Amino acid sequence: FVPHLMVMGKTTGGKTRLLNTLSHVSYRAVVSASATPASLFRMIDAYNVSFFVSEYHGLVKESQQQLDNVVRAGQKEGEKVTRAEPTQTGFEPEVFDPFSHIGIATQYTPADDIVNRCIRIRTKPAQRDIPATIDAATGEAIRNKLLFHRFDLLRDSDKWEQAEQRAYGYLAQNNITGRTREKLLSLVTVAILWNHLDDIKPFVDLVVEQDEEATADSEDAQFTQVVKD
């Protein structure tokens, strides 16, 4: 599983700035204001990018729905996106792998099943002066450090597997299951690898609280619809 990020807030709240900042430390990051679903899953499949969409709310309804489908399929390893591609003799099916880190910035809340697949961050206008540009040198230093650790883990995969099993145990001990477990697993695994499990606990508690609130809101909405029907 990989966590997806949803940044929600009104205009001038810093959503795009946050995605651009993350792009400086992420693995093969792409930030796009207008992404077609076709380009999204093709780029992920071909180049294994971290894809950030900064203007989800500005996409036409059909593009939003197709992008939602990529988000649904991109969280779990092994899920695929299929398309019929035109050829000289007609159409041929093609299969793409959209599994990757994805970030979405939006001014309003998307559908429930998209929201509950993402870790949510709400933004608001800054109360202090924000630098006009991103500190690229610091970002590069952080990214190089992360790439070193990534290489080290790929070279010695036993470390990751052992930490992942500990992460499963930690989540089970705290009664964290289902989609919440999927969102938190890799983040808790990294926290264990770097001996920062205690530091990440407030974040884990916040994600659990958000998901419980989202479930309650969804149940209320369903109940209201049943009563109306």
Side-chain angles (χ1 to χ4, degrees):
F1 305 111
V2 293
H4 288 172
L5 187 68
M6 179 169 294
V7 185
M8 295 184 287
K10 300 299 182 183
T11 183
T12 72
K15 300 184 299 297
T16 302
R17 170 59 72 94
L18 175 57
L19 293 186
N20 283 328
T21 301
L22 287 174
S23 73
H24 278 68
V25 299
S26 298
Y27 181 69
R28 294 183 181 175
V30 174
V31 182
S32 175
S34 178
T36 65
S39 67
L40 177 63
F41 60 69
R42 280 177 170 81
M43 288 191 68
I44 292 174
D45 183 85
Y47 304 113
N48 192 26
V49 299
S50 302
F51 208 104
F52 301 125
V53 180
S54 63
E55 300 290 338
Y56 174 89
H57 53 275
L59 301 176
V60 299
K61 193 68 175 178
E62 182 180 356
S63 292
Q64 285 181 354
Q65 291 172 343
Q66 294 185 53
L67 180 57
D68 289 348
N69 290 334
V70 176
V71 172
R72 292 185 183 101
Q75 189 184 31
K76 295 181 182 180
E77 194 170 17
E79 297 197 7
K80 306 296 181 183
V81 170
T82 59
R83 287 290 185 274
E85 298 294 325
T87 65
Q88 293 181 346
T89 59
F91 287 86
E92 291 292 334
E94 282 199 42
V95 180
F96 299 92
D97 181 3
F99 179 66
S100 185
H101 297 89
I102 297 173
I104 294 173
T106 178
Q107 289 187 18
Y108 65 85
T109 305
D112 285 347
D113 63 333
I114 299 302
V115 173
N116 63 24
R117 281 179 164 82
C118 299
I119 292 171
R120 281 157 283 158
I121 295 178
R122 290 201 174 272
T123 65
K124 56 185 178 181
Q127 301 299 313
R128 57 184 175 84
D129 186 40
I130 299 297
T133 59
I134 294 171
D135 185 351
T138 301
E140 184 178 3
I142 295 172
R143 183 174 180 275
N144 287 339
K145 184 177 180 180
L146 292 171
L147 287 173
F148 169 78
H149 286 293
R150 184 178 187 274
F151 170 78
D152 188 46
L153 289 171
L154 290 175
R155 183 172 56 86
D156 187 3
S157 60
D158 287 347
K159 293 181 182 177
W160 180 274
E161 293 174 358
Q162 292 168 8
E164 188 176 62
Q165 291 306 312
R166 284 186 58 194
Y168 271 119
Y170 172 85
L171 296 170
Q173 184 179 0
N174 288 276
N175 298 315
I176 300 173
T177 61
R179 196 158 282 158
T180 307
R181 177 179 59 193
E182 295 174 6
K183 289 189 288 189
L184 288 172
L185 177 63
S186 61
L187 298 174
V188 172
T189 300
V190 172
I192 290 173
L193 280 166
W194 289 356
N195 297 316
H196 283 287
L197 187 57
D198 291 340
D199 296 329
I200 203 176
K201 188 178 185 306
F203 169 76
V204 171
D205 293 340
L206 178 62
V207 172
V208 171
E209 181 182 342
Q210 284 182 342
D211 284 2
E212 289 175 348
E213 290 176 355
T215 299
D217 290 344
S218 178
E219 290 174 350
D220 289 344
Q222 292 171 9
F223 177 78
T224 302
Q225 186 63 48
V226 170
V227 172
K228 289 169 64 177
D229 292 344

